Amino acid sequence: MQAETNPDAAPATSPEGEATRVSGAAYVAVLILSAVGLTLAVNQVFTLNLFGFQPLSTAFYYLLIGVFVAVAFLVFPATKGSRGRVPWYDWLLALITLAVGVYFSSNAATIINSGWDIDAPMLPTVLSGVLVLIALEGVRRCGGTVLLLVCLVFSIYPLFADSMPGVLWGSQYTLEEAVRANAMGVESIIGIPMRVVADLLIGFIVFGVVLTVSGGGDFFMKLAYALMGSRRGGPAKVSILSSGFFGSLSGSAVSNVLSTGPMTIPTMKRYGYPGTYAAAVEACASTGGTIMPPIMGAVAFIMASFLNVPYLEVASAALVPALFFYLILFLQADAHAARKGLKGLPKEELPSVVKTLLEGWIYLFSLALLVFLLLAWRIESMAPFYASVALLVTALVLHRGGNRKRVILDVIVESGKNVANLVAILAGIGLVVGALSLTGAGTAFSRELIQYAGDNVALLLILGALTSFVLGMGMTASACYIFLAIVLAPALVKMGLDPVASHMFILYWGMLSYITPPVALASITAAGVAGEPAMKTAFQSFKLGSVLFILPFLFVVEPELILRGEPMLIVRYVITAAIGVWMLSAGLERYAYFHGALSRFKALLFLIGGLLMMVPGWETDVAGVALVGLVYLSGLLLPGTRKDAQTET
């Protein structure tokens, strides 16, 4: 799993960037700090009491912030000009961050017992202010300017909350009270987001790194080519399949595009797909990875913590909607290829399925082991560490990933970088959570939203969708979800909607900004890889991913689609929704199996029929089937109205 990234940040991954910046003394420092941080995490998760050391949970969180945000300052540059080196001020910032983390960790018991989050001596108060500034600088470097502005506004909001109008009114705090509450309270910097990283996510990040370093990414790409490369429209199907594999492990849409896009997009273009279409396929498939089990990304674990349910309940709820999303992408790619006459890749250029599976069995075994430990033993925090060790040992024995010593060092360093990225972002997001909690604005917003919507659930959902979409623009999925889980989800639940469905609803709508203009981070990133116009690619992505605009409303009103309800109803709704997904894909691409190319009018009938199939009730199901039946009947009675898919331009 990779930490979520934002192109607006100044990443150290340019050709002249990370390789030269994290080298020499900086590499050694990152290696040592990462090893210390990962050891602390293992010690805490497995209660090993290494060297007689087992800190309080809050002390552990402060240590992780000190270690990994220090790593972030060494890895991620303050400006583009410092990408190739670590300047003196980054060394100083790293040392200060480490010292502040150690100070708060060593005083964790005093902070709790003496109530320092409310009233504290001068030194911890001053250092609280320093920690807040560190969190803001960390989120600027790793999350980008947009997220920094959001966190900055909320960090100072408690100072003026009692002067704000209407729903924004809240309890006011002095500067000293605000920084103490943010740094030493349990609902801000070390609140739920940070606790999720510390207690659950580090192991999954390590597993994702081990998988990548040992060659897992190449294996899944080869497997996708072996399975789908020779099929009609094979290059696009390879992109969808490989991005789904990779995205479910990385959990980051932008990272997914940058990892698989340079291989899939040029191949799609070479075999006849327009550049914007190829980039849009990659952007949509990469975005879908953030909602695809088994891992999904950081946000799934954060959601489980907010809902106070096992992670598996969140993952199972996400399964059917994610499969529907990839199904419609797959069907659209196939229909587009059929209508345009696009062929697959030559079989002689593709790897053998059997040979690929034999070469990469260790990756499938490690994934199966991870899923087994999650499902059977339900050890969410320990499972990824066991799976990582099993995969790493097997890979080293079989000499996968190159030099053994180098593989181990790469795992430590890359894991440290990914954890540092996520810790830095979530420390800043903690300021948002803390401000809403301190002032009471979060509950007030939810209450006002319910009052405005009245008893109209549809209006509340529309308002919620718009709010989620706007706030999701330019923010990571985790940042958007955390904010909306506080201010919006309670309103949906109070209206009688299923809690898991309500939280999934805001996750989906926050994620839509990755492929929807004007922001469309995943689409713009894919357009850059393809060398195509950004907005044209974004609008093509909007079309391909349009089912995402429908799914959230469906599983809110039909929780059976997230596997919550009576078994027979679940089967019925899943089948009718799957038929609806096929109808929508046919209408969007204007091609239907056993009919051929569709006129605009017939495509419209397919779209209407697909939407009707997704509305609860047998009446709408019958109407949807009848509309599509008319299209096929007209093709049989009036064969001249059918168009050859190979001749339509």
Side-chain angles (χ1 to χ4, degrees), residues 61 139 153 214 233 310 399 420 448 451 507 539 565 569 587 593 610 647:
Y61 304 148
V139 81
V153 168
S214 62
H399 299 284
E448 291 291 328
Q451 184 175 350
L507 167 62
F539 279 107
L569 285 178
Y593 298 123
T647 60

Side-chain angles (χ1 to χ4, degrees), residues 81 100 310 564:
V100 170
R564 297 173 70 82

Side-chain angles (χ1 to χ4, degrees), residues 535-598:
M535 281 300 104
K536 187 176 179 181
T537 301
F539 279 107
Q540 181 65 60
S541 301
F542 176 81
K543 175 186 175 183
L544 281 173
S546 56
V547 71
L548 273 178
F549 293 87
I550 303 169
L551 282 176
F553 290 100
L554 285 180
F555 57 64
V556 164
V557 298
E558 295 180 19
E560 289 80 8
L561 290 178
I562 58 172
L563 307 182
R564 297 173 70 82
E566 296 295 327
M568 292 306 298
L569 285 178
I570 290 175
V571 172
R572 172 191 164 190
Y573 285 137
V574 168
I575 291 174
T576 56
I579 296 172
V581 162
W582 164 68
M583 292 179 181
L584 289 174
S585 67
L588 288 169
E589 286 297 337
R590 293 177 56 198
Y591 179 89
Y593 298 123
F594 308 111
H595 181 283
L598 299 170

Side-chain angles (χ1 to χ4, degrees), residues 85-136:
R85 59 186 176 83
V86 179
W88 65 268
Y89 53 81
D90 280 347
W91 286 105
L92 181 60
L93 270 176
L95 288 172
I96 292 173
T97 302
L98 187 59
V100 170
V102 170
Y103 174 83
F104 282 118
S105 177
S106 61
N107 287 279
T110 305
I111 291 173
I112 296 173
N113 296 331
S114 300
W116 277 7
D117 58 319
I118 299 174
D119 188 18
M122 180 59 68
L123 179 59
T125 300
V126 171
L127 292 180
S128 294
V130 173
L131 184 57
V132 170
L133 294 176
I134 287 171
L136 290 171

Side-chain angles (χ1 to χ4, degrees), residues 22 26 135-136 211 410 420 463 586 599:
V22 186
L136 290 171
L211 196 68
D410 285 347
L463 291 174
S599 66

Side-chain angles (χ1 to χ4, degrees), residues 132-155:
V132 170
L133 294 176
I134 287 171
L136 290 171
E137 174 59 10
V139 81
R140 182 188 74 84
R141 295 193 186 200
C142 299
T145 305
V146 172
L147 190 52
L148 166 67
L149 293 176
V150 172
C151 295
L152 180 61
V153 168
F154 277 95
S155 67

Side-chain angles (χ1 to χ4, degrees), residues 126-212:
V126 171
L127 292 180
S128 294
V130 173
L131 184 57
V132 170
L133 294 176
I134 287 171
L136 290 171
E137 174 59 10
V139 81
R140 182 188 74 84
R141 295 193 186 200
C142 299
T145 305
V146 172
L147 190 52
L148 166 67
L149 293 176
V150 172
C151 295
L152 180 61
V153 168
F154 277 95
S155 67
I156 62 175
Y157 168 65
L159 307 181
F160 313 102
D162 70 334
S163 302
M164 302 299 288
V167 69
L168 297 177
W169 183 92
S171 302
Q172 183 182 12
Y173 287 76
T174 66
L175 178 61
E176 293 82 0
E177 290 170 338
V179 296
R180 284 196 292 259
N182 278 320
M184 295 185 284
V186 294
E187 294 182 332
S188 188
I189 292 177
I190 60 169
I192 286 180
M194 191 59 61
R195 295 199 294 270
V196 170
V197 174
D199 299 337
L200 283 174
L201 274 179
I202 292 179
F204 287 94
I205 292 173
V206 172
F207 176 75
V209 170
V210 173
L211 196 68
T212 302

